[in-house]
Amino acid sequence: MKRLFTYMPTLLITIFLMWSASLSAQESESAEEDSLMSVPEAKDSLQVSLITCSPGTDIYAMYGHTAIRVVNFPTHLDLVFNYGMFNYNADSFVFKFLEGKTDYILGVEPGQGFFQRYGDKGNEVVEQILNLTQEECRIVFDKLMENAAPENRMYRYNWLYNNCTTRARDVLESAINGDIEYTTSQKPLTVRQILHRFTCMNSWIEFGADLILGAEIDTLVSSRIQMFIPSVYENEADSAFIVKAGGMRIPLVADKQTVLESKNELEADTSHSPFICFLIILIAVIVISIYEIKRSKTYKWIDVSLSILQGLVGTLVAFLFFLSVHAGVDSNVLVILLNPLAFVWIYFYTVRRPKVPAYATLAELLLLVLTLCVIPQHIHGAVIPLALILMVRAVVNLVIAKKQIV
């Protein structure tokens, strides 16, 4: 039981997994201000590149990162435009992030500083030099500088539809004189399947993500939506073409190089998986429950502890379901079982009236099963032993209550 409470903060941290690789507030603000004050005028020989950073070891960097680099060789201009910055010290930042009302920042920093920072972290950094005309490069640069102005630099972040990768893609597409034709046909996948490619490295993070994200992310999505992941957009850009007037097709990427090799060895953390932890607890609960039935009396601390755990997780799930505008959280059918009502049951357990929460729990479990038949949603395997624990406790409390009456 103590282990579960130890992992409770992980559920809160899971929300922040949706962040594409970001900087601390101090780093983002200082880099941004310094670079904007020292930007030389870009006149000619502009080169625009798409920068993709591999997933890192930090939680916020586990999906990778996307940025745009602009280089002017005669003037030695070398800037990286990064849509993944935020001000962590802003008022009520965490609360606003949970609400899905966080404003991210387009930051600008010298290319050397950007590469050094990611090199220190051990990330692989890939640069795709884009096949743009000087006019198109100028438009990209002007758009980025306009967006980086103090009055324009903030945007409302959305982890699925409006993040550092989709913003970079949209700027490039809007500056090109023609249409971008993406020829790579991504395999039809759900957003959850895409996320699992990254969260599978940590079973608790994957469990936390599955607890808060609902049925919305279990439908197959188009290749374009899949581009919210940096590596997916990188692959799409590799095979994309710029279609000019008259039908002329030019490869979007003129050259590709690995600027930094990866120094990180990402290994899957399979120890103490959520399923195993809850399975062990389930077995222990069954053994204790059998003993309770024999003595015709329950240990109320077990039910109180479970109610506290269920209520804490349920508060997060319910908050996201009812109040957050984050994509995917308002379609989570697990809110039927995981909600703050569990805190109310504590009173009934302490006054030895367990029949009310027992019937309520069984009703929630039945309603959840029926809802899943109508609204298909992926349920993490660890939820099954967790649900069985609650069901066993409900049944045991009803059985013992009946024996005590007799």
Side-chain angles (χ1 to χ4, degrees), residues 145-334:
M145 288 303 298
E146 180 182 1
N147 289 342
E151 65 273 17
N152 301 325
R153 63 182 184 175
M154 289 188 177
Y155 72 97
R156 183 53 52 87
Y157 175 81
N158 182 296
W159 69 273
L160 180 56
Y161 302 112
N162 196 25
N163 65 10
C164 67
T165 303
T166 63
R167 279 259 161 175
R169 176 199 64 191
D170 294 346
V171 167
L172 295 176
E173 290 180 348
S174 66
I176 290 176
N177 182 21
D179 297 322
I180 296 183
E181 178 184 287
Y182 298 102
T183 60
T184 297
S185 179
Q186 294 288 339
K187 177 184 176 182
L189 293 171
T190 68
V191 172
R192 197 185 303 272
Q193 288 172 329
I194 297 171
L195 296 179
H196 280 183
R197 291 177 175 177
F198 302 88
T199 58
C200 65
M201 302 301 292
N202 188 303
S203 57
W204 279 97
I205 289 177
E206 183 167 293
F207 172 61
D210 283 345
L211 275 186
I212 63 174
L213 296 173
E216 178 186 342
I217 69 165
D218 287 321
T219 59
L220 297 176
V221 296
S222 65
S223 297
R224 185 168 186 81
I225 292 181
Q226 294 184 40
M227 292 182 198
F228 80 98
I229 292 292
S231 58
V232 173
Y233 183 50
E234 175 195 351
N235 294 334
E236 288 283 358
D238 272 338
S239 59
F241 287 88
I242 301 173
V243 181
K244 299 288 188 179
M248 182 173 63
R249 300 167 76 243
I250 303 172
L252 174 62
V253 176
D255 190 22
K256 182 176 182 179
Q257 58 185 351
T258 300
V259 181
L260 296 172
E261 298 284 350
S262 175
K263 299 178 183 178
N264 296 325
E265 295 184 5
L266 302 179
E267 297 181 358
D269 180 12
T270 57
S271 61
H272 305 102
S273 73
F275 179 82
I276 297 299
C277 287
F278 284 118
L279 183 61
I280 293 173
I281 294 174
L282 172 61
I283 295 173
V285 166
I286 291 175
V287 173
I288 295 173
S289 298
I290 293 174
Y291 177 73
E292 288 174 319
I293 292 175
K294 290 182 178 180
R295 65 192 291 265
S296 297
K297 187 176 181 180
T298 59
Y299 295 114
K300 64 180 180 181
W301 64 267
I302 297 179
D303 298 305
V304 170
S305 299
L306 288 173
S307 295
I308 293 174
L309 177 62
Q310 185 182 0
L312 288 173
V313 178
T315 298
L316 174 61
V317 172
F319 178 90
L320 295 173
F321 184 89
F322 291 107
L323 300 178
S324 178
V325 295
H326 273 300
V329 296
D330 61 351
S331 58
N332 187 6
V333 302
L334 286 178

Side-chain angles (χ1 to χ4, degrees), residues 57-58 75 99 124 130 170 255 276 327 375:
T57 55
D58 296 324
T75 61
E99 285 186 299
E124 178 186 74
L130 303 182
D170 294 346
D255 190 22
I276 297 299
I375 306 176

Side-chain angles (χ1 to χ4, degrees), residues 4-188:
L4 291 181
F5 285 102
T6 300
Y7 281 113
M8 276 303 303
T10 305
L11 299 176
L12 291 171
I13 294 173
T14 302
I15 302 296
F16 297 86
L17 300 180
M18 300 170 185
W19 300 356
S20 299
S22 308
L23 306 176
S24 68
Q26 292 79 5
E27 289 175 327
S28 62
E29 289 175 348
S30 61
E32 187 177 2
E33 292 170 358
D34 292 345
S35 59
L36 284 175
M37 289 191 300
S38 60
V39 172
E41 183 180 358
K43 297 181 179 180
D44 51 19
S45 300
L46 285 171
Q47 176 181 285
V48 175
S49 303
L50 181 67
I51 304 297
T52 305
C53 306
S54 67
T57 55
D58 296 324
I59 289 177
Y60 62 77
M62 69 185 310
Y63 298 117
H65 187 48
T66 299
I68 297 176
R69 183 187 189 188
V70 178
V71 177
N72 187 316
F73 296 103
T75 61
H76 304 290
L77 172 82
D78 185 0
L79 297 176
V80 173
F81 294 81
N82 177 4
Y83 279 100
M85 295 183 174
F86 59 90
N87 185 355
Y88 186 80
N89 291 328
D91 292 340
S92 305
F93 177 84
V94 174
F95 182 79
K96 289 180 180 178
F97 189 89
L98 291 174
E99 285 186 299
K101 298 178 181 178
T102 308
D103 291 326
Y104 268 42
I105 301 170
L106 170 58
V108 190
E109 61 182 307
Q112 182 179 359
F114 179 88
F115 293 125
Q116 180 177 350
R117 182 157 45 77
Y118 275 90
D120 292 341
K121 294 179 180 180
N123 295 79
E124 178 186 74
V125 177
V126 174
E127 179 178 25
Q128 294 166 292
I129 301 173
L130 303 182
N131 209 354
L132 307 184
T133 65
Q134 285 300 293
E135 180 183 0
E136 291 168 338
C137 289
R138 162 63 70 176
I139 293 174
V140 171
F141 179 73
D142 289 344
K143 283 180 176 290
L144 290 171
M145 288 303 298
E146 180 182 1
N147 289 342
E151 65 273 17
N152 301 325
R153 63 182 184 175
M154 289 188 177
Y155 72 97
R156 183 53 52 87
Y157 175 81
N158 182 296
W159 69 273
L160 180 56
Y161 302 112
N162 196 25
N163 65 10
C164 67
T165 303
T166 63
R167 279 259 161 175
R169 176 199 64 191
D170 294 346
V171 167
L172 295 176
E173 290 180 348
S174 66
I176 290 176
N177 182 21
D179 297 322
I180 296 183
E181 178 184 287
Y182 298 102
T183 60
T184 297
S185 179
Q186 294 288 339
K187 177 184 176 182

